[in-house]
Amino acid sequence: MTENLSPRSRIVHDALRAAGVSGEIITLPDAASTAALAAAALGIEVGAIANSLVFWSDGEPLLVMTSGAHRVDTPALAARLGRRSIVRATPEQVRAATGQAIGGVAPTGHPAPLPTVVDEALAAFDEIWAAGGTPHTVFPLTFDELVHLTGGTVSAVD
């Protein structure tokens, strides 16, 4: 099954298996680089998309796994986390931190683990979907698997 995946998605697949997550990475016919596009392609609610957003905070990358139905309130999240600021990472910072391009960032498979926040709203869904390392790949998992996979802190993000 992994022989049809891109090298980046194979890395994500291996990280999923190492963490005990069994969801299979699937390749979509069209890019699903936004939560709305991914939800439409999968026929699910946009809120069930675990959108991977990379920010820069206090000199380091911060991965925020947010429900596709939410926008991140960066000042409020910074206050909740006790950080000075949270700003969008540049495409270059995203690639350096994750090894992946914007629109396809997975919650795992990065060169090194990233501090991660998981949107508590994702717990409302029995199954959520996340990017698989490219804008064309996605995989299913549960909220608990996402928290375990990322070692994330659960918080409101909006």
Side-chain angles (χ1 to χ4, degrees):
M1 192 96 183
T2 61
E3 62 275 357
N4 296 327
L5 294 175
S6 72
R8 296 227 184 271
S9 292
R10 280 192 215 122
I11 292 168
V12 173
H13 173 272
D14 293 347
L16 291 172
R17 293 304 173 271
V21 177
S22 62
E24 291 293 334
I25 295 175
I26 63 170
T27 302
L28 300 172
D30 296 313
S33 54
T34 68
L37 289 172
L42 295 166
I44 62 172
E45 282 183 62
V46 72
I49 298 295
N51 207 12
S52 304
L53 302 176
V54 180
F55 294 90
W56 203 254
S57 178
D58 297 352
E60 68 177 359
L62 174 69
L63 177 63
V64 178
M65 299 299 304
T66 184
S67 166
H70 288 161
R71 295 187 64 88
V72 177
D73 181 337
T74 54
L77 184 59
R80 279 187 207 107
L81 298 177
R83 292 177 174 253
R84 288 186 302 278
S85 71
I86 297 175
V87 297
R88 276 287 189 154
T90 66
E92 296 78 20
Q93 288 171 321
V94 171
R95 181 146 332 247
T98 68
Q100 302 159 5
I102 291 174
V105 174
T108 191
H110 311 140
L114 298 176
T116 303
V117 175
V118 178
D119 186 351
E120 66 187 14
L122 289 166
F125 298 93
D126 293 332
E127 180 178 73
I128 54 181
W129 287 79
T134 75
H136 287 271
T137 55
V138 293
F139 67 93
L141 73 168
T142 67
F143 177 79
D144 289 340
E145 286 175 326
L146 179 61
V147 173
H148 170 72
L149 178 67
T150 61
T153 299
V154 177
S155 177
V157 301
D158 61 343

